[in-house]
Amino acid sequence: MQTPTTENWSNPDGTNVSMLEQITPLILTYNETPNIGRTLDCLTWAKKIIVIDSYSTDTTLEILKSYPQVQVFQREFDTHGKQWNYGLEQVHTPWVLSLDADYLVTDDLISEIATLPVDGQIDGYFAQFKYCVFGQPVRNTRILPPRQVLFKKSKAIYIDDGHTQVLQLTGQSTLLSAYIYHDDRKPFSRWLWAQERYTVLESKKILATPVNQLDWVDRIRRKKVLAPWMVFIYCLFVEGWIFDGWRGWYYVFQRVLAETILAVRLIEAENLKNH
């Protein structure tokens, strides 16, 4: 991958500094052998990459050691928010590029980031996603909302939100035009394992939050029966994945199964609470 060389900021001594030189990519890992190498191959421009590993038991650590700019810190996983905040403590540049281990940063996105001002009025940037199935992107989807991946470290902190985390940023944010590819190639059994954990946390969050404080998606999920059917119709026909062949159907089935597992969790949690 070619590293853009756009220089857009000057030090007091008159030397120019590229935005890319002010960024440290930050990644969380746990048994990411099928993904992490491809993700790191997109970050050859970075002088240092911080990885917070939750004591992987596969070959993730061996892969990480083969990249000289990677610095690994191991921490027992408790919550996503605490894990990300621990990672932020290890970053010593003004800007952070926060990535999952299955995100592929495209050349277009790197070129766009290189043109950004180092010390401008914008404190954070959202990126959009293209979802990949077995390495091939399906059509653009609104079911994966843009994520704030690039931000000033001094303005940011993570908080836990259900099974995932939310970045709280003080200041102004805007949306980048280029995309990140979400390309998870871990086996289906690992996906099911993750859903087993995620839906427990998500069901607790939905049931503990007053209905009038839930967003419209979680209000539908509270109905239990509705969500899987609505996701099926939405993904297949509104998003148009029916036109993406078997890859589109594969992702539709994944989303429907995830919503079905969550619905079962909600039914289980409500009935256990009442007995």
Side-chain angles (χ1 to χ4, degrees), residues 163-232:
H163 78 275
T164 185
Q165 75 288 326
V166 174
L167 181 73
Q168 284 192 339
L169 187 78
T170 303
Q172 300 183 55
S173 300
T174 191
L175 180 67
L176 298 167
S177 60
Y179 284 79
I180 289 177
Y181 279 30
H182 183 288
D183 188 10
D184 187 1
R185 301 192 196 179
K186 295 189 293 292
F188 182 67
S189 58
R190 172 65 185 276
W191 182 86
L192 280 176
W193 172 84
Q195 297 308 309
E196 173 75 13
R197 297 170 62 244
Y198 294 165
T199 53
V200 170
L201 297 172
E202 201 66 23
S203 63
K204 289 180 179 178
K205 169 198 165 185
I206 291 173
L207 293 176
T209 305
V211 174
N212 62 356
Q213 295 179 21
L214 293 172
D215 61 27
W216 68 270
V217 173
D218 284 339
R219 290 187 187 190
I220 293 173
R221 286 169 169 162
R222 278 285 291 261
K223 302 294 185 183
K224 305 170 196 70
V225 176
L226 286 180
W229 292 101
M230 292 184 70
V231 165
F232 177 80

Side-chain angles (χ1 to χ4, degrees), residues 41-266:
D41 286 341
C42 298
L43 303 174
T44 55
W45 50 269
K47 291 183 178 180
K48 180 182 289 187
I49 301 168
I50 300 296
V51 175
I52 310 301
D53 182 74
S54 303
Y55 292 94
S56 292
T57 57
D58 62 358
T59 61
T60 296
L61 291 175
E62 285 79 359
I63 296 172
L64 293 173
K65 290 176 182 177
S66 67
Y67 290 83
Q69 75 270 49
V70 170
Q71 186 173 2
V72 180
F73 297 85
Q74 288 193 296
R75 181 181 184 274
E76 196 72 39
F77 182 86
D78 42 14
T79 72
H80 282 95
K82 292 178 181 178
Q83 202 79 342
W84 282 109
N85 286 329
Y86 175 76
L88 291 181
E89 293 174 4
Q90 317 313 317
V91 173
H92 300 295
T93 54
W95 288 83
V96 181
L97 181 63
S98 170
L99 302 171
D100 286 355
D102 51 14
Y103 287 0
L104 304 183
V105 179
T106 61
D107 288 340
D108 287 343
L109 184 62
I110 296 170
S111 296
E112 183 176 2
I113 290 173
T115 66
L116 300 175
V118 173
D119 200 21
Q121 295 183 350
I122 301 300
D123 302 296
Y125 295 89
F126 287 85
Q128 303 173 89
F129 291 91
K130 290 188 177 181
Y131 191 86
C132 298
V133 176
F134 300 111
Q136 296 296 320
V138 293
R139 65 187 57 249
N140 297 345
T141 173
R142 287 163 289 183
I143 208 165
L144 288 178
R147 172 176 161 181
Q148 197 159 34
V149 295
L150 180 64
F151 51 87
K152 291 180 180 177
K153 177 191 170 183
S154 62
K155 300 288 188 74
I157 189 172
Y158 282 99
I159 61 170
D160 289 307
D161 182 36
H163 78 275
T164 185
Q165 75 288 326
V166 174
L167 181 73
Q168 284 192 339
L169 187 78
T170 303
Q172 300 183 55
S173 300
T174 191
L175 180 67
L176 298 167
S177 60
Y179 284 79
I180 289 177
Y181 279 30
H182 183 288
D183 188 10
D184 187 1
R185 301 192 196 179
K186 295 189 293 292
F188 182 67
S189 58
R190 172 65 185 276
W191 182 86
L192 280 176
W193 172 84
Q195 297 308 309
E196 173 75 13
R197 297 170 62 244
Y198 294 165
T199 53
V200 170
L201 297 172
E202 201 66 23
S203 63
K204 289 180 179 178
K205 169 198 165 185
I206 291 173
L207 293 176
T209 305
V211 174
N212 62 356
Q213 295 179 21
L214 293 172
D215 61 27
W216 68 270
V217 173
D218 284 339
R219 290 187 187 190
I220 293 173
R221 286 169 169 162
R222 278 285 291 261
K223 302 294 185 183
K224 305 170 196 70
V225 176
L226 286 180
W229 292 101
M230 292 184 70
V231 165
F232 177 80
I233 294 170
Y234 177 82
C235 291
L236 205 57
F237 299 108
V238 178
E239 291 286 353
W241 290 339
I242 192 173
F243 301 111
D244 280 311
W246 67 265
R247 288 184 174 86
W249 281 97
Y250 180 90
Y251 189 56
V252 170
F253 288 150
Q254 264 198 342
R255 298 318 315 152
V256 171
L257 182 54
E259 292 296 336
T260 302
I261 295 172
L262 178 56
V264 170
R265 286 290 187 195
L266 289 168

